């Protein structure tokens, strides 16, 4: 019988059996991670440096980029390492850390998306009260609540999951550590039920956030359709569509991953779905916001132009120095 206290490592699911395909997955993940790091880094720099983006939405977008970076950096580096080294192992403590960080960042991201929905609701439905309801202190408190709630949820789930005795081996049917796959290794009925109860509480909280998002967008669309000018309606919709697209991508991939019928479940499908909800949203979120947010596009373009001009000045300075 395996014991969780003496278990040294877990075995993750490999992307492929052949070494050539493992290398292909390595280069694919490298490209995705570099693109996500660059895009989110540009958003962080633009929001921090451009005073036009020092708004509640800019502040929440900065926090969202941090969670996206956290999600990418939690799962992708280990998957790349395993593909490059042709191995599938992860240490017991490494697995616990990965589960905690992924749950923390993903839960925080969903709470931040809920807060950003509230921001859009106030901006469109209650514009006269926007400055009062979404002042700098209120924004900081809401963001802190999202991070604290995500941290508490991740801590409770991780502590409870890794306190369970494991007796079904150490092979996880996933390329990263995830609660459902660790629960399959447990032989404690009471501990299993305790974790299911915690998952139920988290699911209720997440469902409440989802209902709030749906209700808010119903009110937003009703308010937008009452705007008399077509230009005004277009401007209002353009501020909401990026957030709605990000929420839809996040919720749809996560829902399918956890609620898909067992009859269509397979290791290859689970692998694809897990990539869709853990890697794809953090990579696409910056692109979605950049395509639809004019102020963000202008700020990034301005920042890149400034950096380019400065690099040219430095290059010319060194060339003149060498000539002299």
């Amino acid at each position: 019988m395996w014991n969780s206290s003496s278990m040294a490592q877990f075995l993750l699911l490999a992307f492929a059996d052949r070494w050539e395909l493992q290398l292909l997955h390595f280069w694919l993940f490298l490209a995705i991670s570099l693109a996500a790091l660059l895009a989110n880094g540009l958003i962080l720099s633009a929001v921090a440096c451009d005073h036009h983006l020092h708004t509640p939405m800019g502040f929440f977008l900065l926090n969202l980029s941090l969670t996206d970076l956290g999600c990418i950096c939690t799962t992708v580096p280990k998957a790349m390492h395993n593909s490059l080294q042709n191995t599938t192992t992860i240490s017991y403590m490494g697995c616990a850390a990965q589960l905690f960080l992924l749950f923390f960042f993903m839960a925080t991201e969903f709470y931040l998306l809920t807060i950003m929905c509230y921001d859009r609701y106030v901006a469109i439905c209650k514009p006269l009260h926007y400055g009062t309801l979404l002042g700098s202190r209120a924004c900081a408190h809401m963001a802190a609540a999202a991070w604290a709630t995500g941290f508490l949820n991740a801590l409770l789930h991780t502590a409870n999951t890794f306190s369970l005795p494991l007796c079904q081996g150490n092979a996880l049917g996933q390329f990263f550590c995830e609660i459902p796959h660790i629960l399959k290794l447990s032989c404690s009925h009471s501990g299993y039920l305790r974790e299911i109860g915690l998952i139920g509480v988290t699911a209720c909280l997440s469902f409440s956030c989802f209902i709030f998002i749906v209700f808010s967008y119903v009110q937003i669309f009703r308010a937008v359709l009452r705007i008399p000018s077509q230009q005004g309606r277009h401007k209002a919709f353009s501020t909401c569509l990026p957030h709605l697209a990000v929420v839809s991508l996040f919720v749809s991939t996560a829902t399918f991953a956890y609620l898909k019928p067992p009859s269509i479940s397979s290791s290859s499908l689970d692998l694809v779905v897990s990539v869709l909800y853990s890697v794809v949203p953090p990579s696409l979120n910056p692109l979605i916001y950049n395509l639809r947010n004019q102020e963000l596009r202008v700020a990034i373009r301005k920042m890149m132009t400034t950096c380019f001009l400065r690099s040219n000045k430095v290059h010319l300075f060194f060339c003149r120095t060498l000539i002299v």
Side-chain angles (χ1 to χ4, degrees):
M1 178 182 292
W2 292 83
N3 192 314
S4 58
S5 61
S6 60
M7 186 179 294
Q9 61 185 16
F10 290 97
L11 299 178
L12 300 175
L13 186 64
F15 280 97
D17 297 328
R18 294 173 55 190
W19 169 241
E20 294 81 3
L21 292 178
Q22 291 278 29
L23 284 179
L24 178 62
H25 285 110
F26 168 80
W27 289 112
L28 178 62
F29 270 133
L30 179 63
I32 291 174
S33 59
L34 289 178
L37 290 173
L38 176 62
N40 283 291
L42 285 174
I43 289 179
L44 288 173
S45 302
V47 173
C49 298
D50 196 314
H51 69 277
H52 293 102
L53 294 176
H54 292 175
T55 62
M57 180 52 74
F59 173 70
F60 295 132
L61 188 57
L62 184 145
N63 282 268
L64 188 69
S65 293
L66 288 175
T67 60
D68 286 337
L69 284 174
C71 289
I72 287 290
C73 293
T74 299
T75 57
V76 173
K78 182 59 180 176
M80 290 170 56
H81 173 268
N82 283 359
S83 295
L84 190 61
Q85 298 295 325
N86 198 23
T87 183
T88 60
T89 61
I90 184 172
S91 67
Y92 183 85
M93 292 304 299
C95 185
Q98 190 180 69
L99 188 149
F100 169 79
L101 290 173
L102 185 63
F103 200 105
F104 170 50
F105 287 121
M106 294 193 73
T108 303
E109 177 162 341
F110 188 60
Y111 300 143
L112 285 171
L113 288 173
T114 305
I115 296 171
M116 293 170 76
C117 178
Y118 175 70
D119 171 88
R120 293 298 84 204
Y121 167 77
V122 175
I124 293 176
C125 299
K126 300 180 182 294
L128 298 179
H129 301 282
Y130 188 79
T132 305
L133 296 176
L134 285 160
S136 57
R137 180 170 295 185
C139 291
H141 288 168
M142 286 188 285
W147 286 96
T149 306
F151 179 85
L152 182 62
N153 268 336
L155 185 64
L156 289 174
H157 283 285
T158 305
N160 185 70
T161 300
F162 281 88
S163 67
L164 301 176
L166 307 178
C167 59
Q168 304 294 330
N170 65 339
L172 301 176
Q174 185 61 279
F175 79 95
F176 59 88
C177 292
E178 197 177 29
I179 291 176
H181 293 275
I182 296 177
L183 289 181
K184 292 179 181 178
L185 307 180
S186 172
C187 53
S188 172
H189 185 65
S190 60
Y192 181 87
L193 292 178
R194 187 169 62 248
E195 178 57 29
I196 293 298
L198 281 175
I199 292 175
V201 172
T202 302
C204 289
L205 179 60
S206 301
F207 186 70
S208 300
C209 292
F210 177 74
I211 294 297
F212 176 80
I213 291 173
V214 172
F215 174 79
S216 297
Y217 269 108
V218 169
Q219 299 301 315
I220 287 172
F221 288 148
R222 289 177 60 186
V224 170
L225 292 175
R226 288 198 296 265
I227 298 176
S229 67
Q230 183 177 358
Q231 184 179 1
R233 288 196 299 270
H234 180 268
K235 183 178 180 181
F237 273 126
S238 65
T239 63
C240 296
L241 288 180
H243 177 266
L244 187 59
V246 170
V247 170
S248 301
L249 181 66
F250 185 90
V251 172
S252 60
T253 52
T255 301
F256 182 75
Y258 286 99
L259 299 181
K260 66 181 181 299
S263 57
I264 65 171
S265 181
S266 65
S267 59
S268 57
L269 179 62
D270 290 345
L271 206 57
V272 172
V273 171
S274 62
V275 170
L276 284 178
Y277 85 87
S278 65
V279 177
V280 173
S283 305
L284 290 183
N285 288 352
L287 179 63
I288 293 172
Y289 271 102
N290 191 29
L291 286 175
R292 301 296 305 184
N293 193 315
Q294 178 68 23
E295 290 184 349
L296 183 60
R297 287 204 306 272
V298 171
I300 291 176
R301 194 180 301 117
K302 180 181 177 182
M303 183 182 63
M304 293 180 69
T305 303
T306 303
C307 292
F308 178 74
L309 291 175
R310 287 179 178 175
S311 65
N312 280 346
K313 288 180 180 179
V314 172
H315 179 69
L316 289 173
F317 174 77
F318 278 111
C319 287
R320 289 173 182 173
T321 304
L322 290 174
I323 293 173
V324 174

